[in-house]
Amino acid sequence: MEANDKTPTHTAYAFSRQGKKFGKLLECGTGYIDKQNNLAHVFMDRGPLMGYTGYIVLSPIGAPPPKVEPPTDDEDSDDEV
């Protein structure tokens, strides 16, 4: 792996939940894709103070954050067990 292969190519966004159904992606760092080893490297230099779900998405540098919602847990469903 060459030294310039570690140059950040993506912006990292962390999902911050706001209420039960809504949230937004906040810029939290950078990352790059290591295609040779099939890995994504993320460098978070900050994170959401509240509502952090652990969901991180990478978007190419200069592109707007994607409009995505992370998978939701069904713990708040009305189903009886």
Side-chain angles (χ1 to χ4, degrees):
M1 187 176 206
E2 296 179 15
N4 58 354
D5 286 343
K6 295 182 180 182
T7 302
T9 57
H10 290 72
T11 302
Y13 293 91
F15 187 78
S16 177
R17 185 171 307 284
Q18 298 173 333
K20 290 185 179 182
K21 297 183 179 181
F22 303 101
K24 62 182 178 179
L25 290 171
L26 302 172
E27 183 179 342
C28 66
T30 60
Y32 68 93
I33 307 297
D34 177 358
K35 292 181 182 179
Q36 182 178 2
N37 295 308
N38 198 26
L39 297 171
H41 299 269
V42 178
F43 304 98
M44 291 180 62
D45 52 21
R46 59 192 166 276
L49 291 176
M50 297 174 57
Y52 180 51
T53 63
Y55 179 75
I56 298 173
V57 65
L58 296 175
S59 181
I61 290 178
K67 296 185 183 211
V68 297
E69 295 285 328
T72 57
D73 295 334
D74 290 333
E75 64 187 35
D76 294 328
S77 69
D78 293 333
D79 296 340
E80 296 283 330
V81 178

